[in-house]
Amino acid sequence: MFYVRIPKVSLIFATAVLMGGGNALAAGLPGGATSLNETYGNWTVACAAPQDAVRCAVSQVQASTETGQRVLAIELTPTDAGNTAAGMLVLPFGLKLDQGAVLSIDERAPLPALRFSTCIPAGCLVPLTLDRDSIAAMRTGTALKVKTAASEGGQELNLSLALSGFSTALARAVQLGGK
């Protein structure tokens, strides 16, 4: 099995830098907070409001039950009132990068292969842009499956993210971040 160590700090700031922008809201976060973390099922909503510019993202991190090290992370920022999303998937080192990663929702047809953009100390990054159909399927689905291959021997690596709580988390991120 492959492992990646991801810092405890949310990827929200890395995603904001790579994906750009944020939405400024005069009201900021509830109670005048500068940050907020909430959990909905398997998903976390993380918001930051430096100088009232609220940025929210939904994320999930998978960790090895044996070592506790993170194996997979995803972070999405809602766009188009939560009907689409953009973000980042962080996968472990030791993968066949030129093959990319293939996502599928439940038993639906796989989405087109996604390319790795770079590798950083936290792992290898795959930028994501999810369209209306993909977000709609994730809202009602049970698992987001990620398929890639190991660089040594090409062994297929299948990972899965539970979608329990995704719809509620995305709606909350939209509510707080105004996207």
Side-chain angles (χ1 to χ4, degrees):
M1 175 159 278
F2 299 91
Y3 301 102
V4 63
R5 184 153 180 68
I6 298 171
K8 290 183 180 181
V9 176
S10 171
L11 296 172
I12 192 168
F13 298 106
T15 300
V17 170
L18 293 171
M19 301 309 291
N23 192 28
L25 294 179
L29 292 171
T34 57
S35 65
L36 174 133
N37 285 296
E38 299 175 347
T39 301
Y40 299 91
N42 295 89
W43 292 82
T44 299
V45 175
C47 298
Q51 303 165 345
D52 291 328
V54 178
R55 292 187 182 115
C56 294
V58 297
S59 64
Q60 185 176 146
V61 177
Q62 295 283 323
S64 166
T65 55
E66 298 164 4
T67 66
Q69 288 187 322
R70 289 172 184 87
V71 177
L72 166 69
I74 186 171
E75 185 169 280
L76 299 170
T77 302
T79 54
D80 185 26
N83 293 312
T84 59
M88 200 68 61
L89 184 65
V90 182
L91 292 167
F93 297 109
L95 300 177
K96 193 177 245 184
L97 298 179
D98 60 345
Q99 186 171 318
V102 177
L103 303 181
S104 61
I105 300 155
D106 295 331
E107 302 308 317
R108 297 173 193 247
L111 300 172
L114 300 169
R115 308 243 347 130
F116 286 90
S117 63
T118 191
C119 294
I120 60 174
C124 295
L125 305 179
V126 178
L128 302 171
T129 302
L130 298 171
D131 62 16
R132 287 178 178 266
D133 291 339
S134 297
I135 292 296
M138 287 175 67
R139 283 185 171 132
T140 60
T142 59
L144 175 63
K145 299 175 182 179
V146 181
K147 182 170 70 170
T148 189
S151 60
E152 295 280 327
Q155 177 186 3
E156 190 172 280
L157 177 62
N158 293 294
L159 303 167
S160 182
L161 294 157
L163 293 174
S164 171
F166 174 77
S167 184
T168 306
L170 190 66
R172 181 67 168 155
V174 169
Q175 176 190 21
L176 294 168
K179 290 268 186 168

